[in-house]
Amino acid sequence: MSLLSLNNVHSHYGHIHALKGISLDVNKGEIVTLIGSNGAGKSTTLRTISGMMHPTSGSITLNGVDISKMDPHAIVLAGLGHVPEGRGIFPKLTVKENLEMGAFTVTDRQAVEERMEYGFTLFPRLKERVSQYGGTLSGGEQQMLAIARGLMLNPSILMLDEPSMGLAPVLVELIFDIIKTLNEKGTTVLLVEQNALMALSIAHRGYVLQTGEIVVNDSAANLKMNPLVQKAYLGMD
Amino acid sequence: MNRFVQSINVNELIRPLGQLMVFSLGSAIALSGIALMLALVLDQTAVGLALQDKYNVTLYTYTLINLPQVVIDGLTIGFVYAAIALGYTMVYGVLEFINFAHSEIFAVGAFIGVEFLIAMDSSGLLRSASIGMSYLLLILAILLGMVAAGGLAVTVERVAYRPLRGASRLVPLISAIGVSFLLQDVIRLVEGLTTGDFNRIFPSFGNFDQRLNFGKLALGATNINLGISIKSIIVIVAAMLMLIGLNYLVNATRIGKAIRAVAQDRHTASLMGINVNRIISITFLVGGLLGGAAGVLYALKFTRIDPFVGFFPGLKAFAAAVLGGIGNLTGALLGGIVLGMLETFAGSYMGVFTMGAAGSEYKDIFAFSILILVLIFRPQGLMGENVGQKA
């Protein structure tokens, strides 16, 4: 059975029908990517999964539990980590406090310490900045912090929304390397990305979203060869 | 026990104490300087001569003699303003909305505390109370006022603000003004039906009305009486404890960290597993607790309360919060103390300095002039940007 499963999910912003029957599955140990252009509904899909908005119909299950009507904080407890678009760093909390916020629901102090250390081994730069305010970090450092913070809960699935946004190419590669490493160590990842080439280079499978609907669903290798994907998202003719 | 002591962040206890000292001393010294300078300048003018004529005392000496009492009164009311201002500023920090019903939450706290003491009084308990017992009763009255005001603040948020969470910013503001009127009239109704009297008097008991005298300070030929009423000490000490406690809660505890996170980015905070609605309720609870205690302390200091007792202190505390920088906790302390001091100085000296043309009844001008000036020239307040702002 898949770890995360969306079944015919519809979502609305007021009268705007943003998701028109999305069905997708993420299995344990996979990296699954959602690609699509601006406004296709990628972030809306993640926001609907994490409970920041509720689906108008359809079901979402995580570890077999229906989470479609839960509040965000309860879904976090069910095992979902969400690194939001724009990173969502708390600007006036220090790096350490930001990480502690990520483990807000964890009562085992030793586990918190260990996970923080793990975050520092992934991103040594964060350790140097541990007592700096989140708002003073560069964009790349904020993205590192957002990912490290997302891992503080030891989530069964980590959702990343546009981790490459606004970053220099060298940092994009670093971030994607880390995502790959995390996955190899057992973290399941659902990745939303505009940089389709990067996303498909590390993902196992992918879904292509167009105006709120999934139009293609295939393995990453096949998607790279798919003429529609090549034309629309990889810039090839 | 040892681990408990170790886990206390001493720094977060000392820092706010230091801030309170600096703000109090700083505003006292600055305003005393201005008052004395004005007195020196006006001494040889008609103002000084009129005073000389009437009381046979120079304006400078008159100003100096009154100074200690003015500073203490200013501090007392300043700390009360600061405690109320924190309620406005905390709610603003988390929701970016001015809770205009906060002044009535303060009033409800005052009424509950005073009614409890009046009930104790009519049962004869107050008159026979020993000193220790009367302090115990006062603390109980403050606690009751706090609990009532805190519970009310949480209820108001739940009933009148939360359903409007997604609406435009003006809508909850109007709701808050409505709640404010409603609560005023509910107090009036309840008091009218049960006691037939809107004006309630803080019963006189214990040794709160006495003064501690520290003797005289001789400055040349002038003797200055140094003393402080026990009431003022109680108000200042209680308010200081609360302000330090609040600072500790916000800066050094898990809940406080969650409050700051919600203030900075509510949506991301919910993705951290923080129950945002619960944190918002806690914020209103804490603001209400402070407001309720401030209400009882205000009643202790000024004795008489009526259903509209919250209006002016509430508005002035709001002005104080804006002066310090709304959303900023340290700013609320600074704003409250500065405003309380300024107002007391104005109330005490304006009458003499203007030869009675503008007496202490005009002191309210200062709080609201400051509000207008701050909004025009430094809308972010003295302490800079607000905590909820994104970097």
Side-chain angles (χ1 to χ4, degrees):
Chain A
M1 198 187 66
S2 49
L3 182 60
L4 175 74
S5 171
L6 276 69
N7 191 5
N8 198 24
V9 168
H10 289 260
S11 233
H12 291 77
Y13 288 106
H15 293 296
I16 299 165
H17 198 172
L19 299 184
K20 300 166 187 161
I22 300 275
S23 295
L24 63 83
D25 291 282
V26 182
N27 299 312
K28 200 166 166 31
E30 276 187 316
I31 299 182
V32 172
T33 183
L34 268 179
I35 54 183
S37 54
N38 268 339
K42 305 185 299 290
S43 293
T44 307
T45 307
L46 293 200
R47 290 164 59 87
T48 307
I49 295 171
S50 66
M52 288 165 85
M53 53 194 290
H54 292 298
T56 34
S57 70
S59 72
I60 306 172
T61 55
L62 176 65
N63 288 318
V65 182
D66 185 357
I67 58 167
S68 54
K69 296 196 171 52
M70 289 186 180
D71 285 334
H73 63 94
I75 296 175
V76 168
L77 288 177
L80 183 93
H82 184 172
V83 178
E85 189 178 8
R87 303 161 196 130
I89 296 303
F90 299 112
K92 287 296 186 75
L93 295 184
T94 64
V95 167
K96 183 156 187 269
E97 286 174 325
N98 263 286
L99 290 172
E100 285 169 350
M101 280 330 298
F104 186 75
T105 54
V106 183
T107 45
D108 180 355
R109 286 198 126 174
Q110 200 182 340
V112 174
E113 290 292 319
E114 281 170 15
R115 287 174 201 168
M116 208 180 282
E117 274 311 312
Y118 178 58
F120 290 148
T121 53
L122 290 177
F123 305 108
R125 192 93 69 87
L126 291 181
K127 189 158 192 173
E128 298 164 23
R129 308 239 185 280
V130 71
S131 52
Q132 231 171 284
Y133 276 142
T136 65
L137 300 184
S138 73
E141 289 163 348
Q142 288 194 355
Q143 189 62 58
M144 295 174 191
L145 179 55
I147 294 175
R149 190 179 61 182
L151 292 170
M152 292 298 289
L153 269 174
N154 201 17
S156 44
I157 178 167
L158 187 65
M159 301 199 306
L160 298 157
D161 198 348
E162 303 272 6
S164 76
M165 203 205 306
L167 299 189
V170 55
L171 279 173
V172 175
E173 286 207 18
L174 173 77
I175 298 281
F176 274 78
D177 276 348
I178 296 278
I179 296 171
K180 200 160 181 230
T181 314
L182 286 176
N183 178 252
E184 279 158 7
K185 289 188 176 166
T187 310
T188 309
V189 176
L190 175 58
L191 173 65
V192 157
E193 193 46 74
Q194 282 204 21
N195 186 339
L197 191 62
M198 273 318 265
L200 290 174
S201 70
I202 62 165
H204 302 104
R205 292 191 299 117
Y207 292 83
V208 180
L209 264 176
Q210 240 169 35
T211 57
E213 284 171 294
I214 287 171
V215 289
V216 187
N217 155 24
D218 211 335
S219 73
N222 285 346
L223 282 178
K224 271 196 260 189
M225 297 299 154
N226 187 311
L228 170 89
V229 176
Q230 287 188 338
K231 189 160 187 295
Y233 307 111
L234 301 179
M236 299 178 203
D237 281 315
Chain B
M1 185 64 200
N2 213 359
R3 267 193 65 178
F4 177 71
V5 173
Q6 276 174 10
S7 70
I8 288 180
N9 188 341
V10 184
N11 192 25
E12 283 301 333
L13 292 176
I14 295 174
R15 197 175 53 84
L17 190 65
Q19 281 171 347
L20 288 176
M21 295 286 180
V22 170
F23 295 160
S24 309
L25 279 177
S27 51
I29 291 171
L31 287 169
S32 303
I34 293 173
L36 289 173
M37 241 157 59
L38 272 176
L40 273 180
V41 170
L42 293 174
D43 221 349
Q44 297 311 317
T45 65
V47 178
L49 296 178
L51 195 73
Q52 189 78 283
D53 242 21
K54 224 162 153 190
Y55 299 111
N56 195 23
V57 61
T58 66
L59 188 58
Y60 181 74
T61 315
Y62 174 89
T63 308
L64 201 61
I65 287 175
N66 284 301
L67 212 46
Q69 190 56 45
V70 172
V71 167
I72 284 169
D73 282 346
L75 267 189
T76 315
I77 189 69
F79 276 121
V80 172
Y81 286 161
I84 309 172
L86 281 172
Y88 283 105
T89 229
M90 281 189 68
V91 166
Y92 186 86
V94 170
L95 289 181
E96 300 207 347
F97 136 82
I98 308 289
N99 179 14
F100 274 116
H102 192 58
S103 49
E104 272 57 50
I105 284 161
F106 160 90
V108 166
F111 266 90
I112 297 290
V114 170
E115 286 298 343
F116 165 73
L117 289 174
I118 290 176
M120 289 294 110
D121 193 24
S122 56
S123 74
L125 213 65
L126 283 192
R127 245 155 297 154
S128 59
S130 63
I131 293 292
M133 188 64 188
S134 50
Y135 275 89
L136 197 69
L137 284 171
L138 179 66
I139 290 172
L140 207 57
I142 293 175
L143 288 179
L144 277 175
M146 288 173 83
V147 170
L152 180 65
V154 172
T155 314
V156 167
E157 189 273 328
R158 188 71 195 79
V159 175
Y161 306 151
R162 192 177 298 178
L164 304 173
R165 191 74 60 71
S168 85
R169 297 175 61 154
L170 203 55
V171 176
L173 203 68
I174 293 168
S175 180
I177 293 171
V179 170
S180 168
F181 285 137
L182 177 76
L183 287 177
Q184 270 179 15
D185 283 331
V186 166
I187 298 175
R188 221 154 56 112
L189 183 69
V190 171
E191 287 294 333
L193 288 178
T194 55
T195 67
D197 188 7
F198 305 144
N199 300 318
R200 306 300 278 161
I201 305 293
F202 195 95
S204 158
F205 67 107
N207 61 352
F208 309 138
D209 288 325
Q210 289 170 22
R211 283 181 62 86
L212 292 181
N213 284 309
F214 306 124
K216 290 178 192 303
L217 179 70
L219 271 182
T222 349
N223 280 320
I224 304 174
N225 284 318
L226 291 182
I228 181 168
S229 73
I230 291 183
K231 267 182 190 180
S232 298
I233 299 181
I234 294 173
V235 175
I236 290 174
V237 169
M240 266 182 141
L241 287 178
M242 288 195 308
L243 301 181
I244 293 171
L246 176 86
N247 185 78
Y248 192 83
L249 174 82
V250 172
N251 287 324
T253 66
R254 204 173 96 94
I255 292 290
K257 219 176 283 166
I259 291 177
R260 283 184 288 150
V262 171
Q264 290 171 38
D265 188 338
R266 199 191 305 164
H267 294 298
T268 308
S270 72
L271 294 179
M272 304 290 110
I274 296 171
N275 185 339
V276 171
N277 278 331
R278 182 179 302 157
I279 293 299
I280 290 174
S281 287
I282 290 175
T283 309
F284 273 85
L285 175 69
V286 173
L289 290 175
L290 286 171
V296 183
L297 294 173
Y298 184 89
L300 168 70
K301 171 81 182 159
F302 295 100
T303 313
R304 200 188 72 103
I305 58 170
D306 61 51
F308 309 106
V309 66
F311 184 70
F312 267 108
L315 270 188
K316 284 176 191 166
F318 170 63
V322 173
L323 170 64
I326 191 140
N328 184 318
L329 298 184
T330 316
L333 299 186
L334 175 65
I337 292 171
V338 168
L339 208 67
M341 279 290 197
L342 180 68
E343 189 182 289
T344 313
F345 267 85
S348 309
Y349 291 126
M350 231 167 50
V352 190
F353 285 2
T354 58
M355 296 172 71
S360 63
E361 64 272 21
Y362 287 100
K363 66 178 181 184
D364 296 338
I365 289 174
F366 285 83
F368 303 121
S369 309
I370 282 189
L371 180 61
I372 293 168
L373 291 175
V374 167
L375 287 175
I376 292 173
F377 293 108
R378 199 176 159 82
Q380 75 272 37
L382 293 176
M383 302 295 281
E385 88 230 284
N386 96 53
V387 276
Q389 214 124 65
K390 285 188 179 179

